[in-house]
């Protein structure tokens, strides 16, 4: 019985520790996924502002708008650089942390969480990736890659626009064509940004849902084992009680019917009980 209780206690402690460690890890990964969602929101904001600045630049020829476009470009280029570094077999995390959420020092996003979840769900061969939500996470970054490809085309249009304006060659036809391209590319990028955030939200929900399911299964197993242990302890106590009663009955029969004189005394010599044979001997 003692051995079974010890084994059950060890299993219970291991289960509690495993749940706590798993909970910490899931929270860590979920925070990383939410970090990418927040970063994508900032990415989309800068992309929109960059497209607006280019349109204003085309209409006004004012270099201030082109400078404004380049300012917005900085965050997006840093974000892309961070992702490319993360895709390396051995990424330089110093560069990654520097480029993730660049120029957003007021953000509460933890770049380490973002880097860890990206490595776990995309670049590293981690068991149970599907349980951790790798499928929607990968789909999200496929959408992100398409958005980045379109943004490179937007940069190409910006370079053409800047070249025409710098050389004084921007006529009305070219302006209309370039502005139209800027608008179309902006409209094409937006759905990919929305799909990215949708898939990342799915990944986070899948991660949290799977954790809840695992937690429920472990909880049920622990509850069943505790119930089984209580039932076993109950029947063991009943057997022990029957054994004690049987032993007492045997002792009583031996004590009362023995032909030898038996005296039960305390360590101090006080007689507590005597059997029949003892009574005859001392009478």
């Amino acid at each position: 019985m003692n051995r079974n209780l010890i084994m059950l206690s060890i299993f219970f402690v291991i289960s509690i520790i495993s749940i706590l460690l798993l909970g910490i890890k899931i929270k860590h990964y979920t925070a990383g996924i939410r970090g990418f969602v927040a970063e994508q929101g900032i990415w989309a904001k800068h992309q929109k502002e960059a497209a607006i600045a280019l349109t204003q630049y085309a209409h006004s020829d004012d270099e201030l708008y082109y400078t404004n476009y380049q300012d917005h470009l900085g965050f997006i280029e840093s974000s892309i650089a961070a992702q490319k570094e993360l895709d390396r077999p051995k990424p330089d995390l110093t560069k990654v942390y520097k480029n993730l959420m660049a120029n957003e020092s007021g953000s509460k996003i933890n770049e380490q969480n973002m880097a860890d979840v990206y490595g776990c769900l995309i670049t590293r061969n981690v068991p149970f990736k599907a349980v951790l939500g790798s499928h929607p996470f990968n789909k999200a970054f496929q959408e992100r890659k398409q958005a980045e490809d379109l943004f490179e085309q937007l940069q190409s249009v910006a370079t053409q626009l800047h070249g025409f304006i710098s050389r004084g060659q921007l006529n009305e036809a070219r302006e209309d064509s370039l502005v139209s391209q800027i608008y179309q590319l902006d409209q094409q990028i937006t759905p990919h940004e929305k799909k990215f955030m949708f898939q990342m939200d799915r990944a986070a929900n899948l991660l949290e849902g799977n954790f809840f399911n695992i937690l429920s299964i472990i909880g049920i197993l622990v509850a069943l084992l505790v119930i089984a242990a209580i039932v076993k302890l109950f029947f063991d106590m009943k057997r022990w009680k029957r054994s004690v009663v049987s032993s007492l009955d045997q002792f009583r029969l031996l004590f009362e019917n023995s032909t030898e004189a038996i005296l039960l005394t305390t360590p101090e010599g006080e007689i507590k009980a005597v059997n029949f044979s003892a009574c005859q001997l001392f009478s």
Side-chain angles (χ1 to χ4, degrees):
M1 180 177 68
N2 290 337
R3 183 183 174 187
N4 291 334
L5 286 175
I6 290 170
M7 293 298 292
L8 180 64
S9 299
I10 292 172
F11 176 81
F12 184 76
V13 170
I14 291 174
S15 298
I16 295 299
I17 293 173
S18 299
I19 289 171
L20 290 174
L21 292 176
L22 182 62
I24 292 169
K25 202 67 176 176
I26 295 299
K27 183 178 179 181
H28 182 71
Y29 285 164
T30 304
I33 291 174
R34 302 297 187 197
F36 276 113
V37 172
E39 191 226 21
Q40 183 61 34
I42 299 171
W43 197 99
K45 176 176 175 275
H46 282 288
Q47 179 267 313
K48 287 289 183 187
E49 294 292 340
I52 292 169
L54 279 179
T55 303
Q56 292 171 326
Y57 179 51
H59 291 320
S60 66
D61 297 351
D62 188 342
E63 289 296 322
L64 181 63
Y65 289 117
Y66 190 72
T67 301
N68 189 21
Y69 157 75
Q70 291 178 311
D71 290 341
H72 291 298
L73 197 64
F75 179 89
I76 298 173
E77 288 181 330
S78 294
S79 176
I80 293 172
Q83 187 180 329
K84 287 181 178 178
E85 186 64 34
L86 282 170
D87 286 330
R88 295 178 183 274
K90 293 182 178 180
D92 184 343
L93 293 179
T94 303
K95 291 182 180 178
V96 172
Y97 298 155
K98 180 181 178 181
N99 286 319
L100 278 174
M101 303 300 292
N103 302 319
E104 297 292 334
S105 56
S107 171
K108 295 181 180 179
I109 302 301
N110 189 315
E111 291 82 0
Q112 183 180 351
N113 290 346
M114 295 169 68
D116 286 350
V117 74
Y118 189 92
C120 174
L121 298 184
I122 291 187
T123 59
R124 292 199 296 268
N125 186 20
V126 179
F128 310 113
K129 272 189 175 184
V131 175
L132 297 174
S134 62
H135 181 64
F137 193 85
N138 276 270
K139 287 187 71 174
F141 277 94
Q142 290 170 11
E143 297 291 340
R144 173 72 168 264
K145 182 63 173 61
Q146 293 182 60
E148 289 173 0
D149 291 342
L150 290 168
F151 191 78
E152 285 182 7
Q153 295 179 40
L154 184 65
Q155 288 177 282
S156 178
V157 173
T159 302
Q160 292 179 50
L161 176 62
H162 184 61
F164 286 137
I165 291 176
S166 299
R167 295 190 297 270
Q169 297 175 343
L170 185 66
N171 54 37
E172 186 176 346
R174 283 174 176 167
E175 179 185 331
D176 290 344
S177 175
L178 291 172
V179 169
S180 176
Q181 289 180 58
I182 293 168
Y183 175 78
Q184 289 176 7
L185 287 168
D186 178 58
Q187 293 299 306
Q188 290 171 17
I189 291 171
T190 300
H192 294 296
E193 293 170 340
K194 290 180 178 179
K195 288 177 183 177
F196 173 89
M197 288 190 277
F198 171 75
Q199 292 295 340
M200 292 298 271
D201 189 58
R202 275 192 62 208
N205 290 335
L206 181 61
L207 188 63
E208 291 170 346
N210 287 335
F211 171 63
F212 177 79
N213 292 336
I214 293 170
L215 190 63
S216 299
I217 291 170
I218 294 175
I220 291 170
L221 288 175
V222 170
L224 289 174
L225 285 171
V226 169
I227 291 171
I230 292 172
V231 171
K232 187 177 185 308
L233 183 63
F234 173 76
F235 283 108
D236 284 347
M237 289 293 291
K238 288 190 71 173
R239 282 196 297 270
W240 176 78
K241 184 178 179 181
R242 284 197 299 268
S243 176
V244 170
V245 171
S246 176
S247 296
L248 288 173
D249 287 342
Q250 290 177 8
F251 175 77
R252 182 176 56 78
L253 288 171
L254 177 65
F255 178 77
E256 292 176 353
N257 300 312
S258 175
T259 57
E260 300 293 331
I262 300 175
L263 291 84
L264 300 180
T265 65
T266 64
E268 292 77 21
E270 180 185 356
I271 298 174
K272 304 296 290 184
V274 294
N275 67 350
F276 181 74
S277 297
C279 289
Q280 287 184 327
L281 178 64
F282 295 108
S283 60

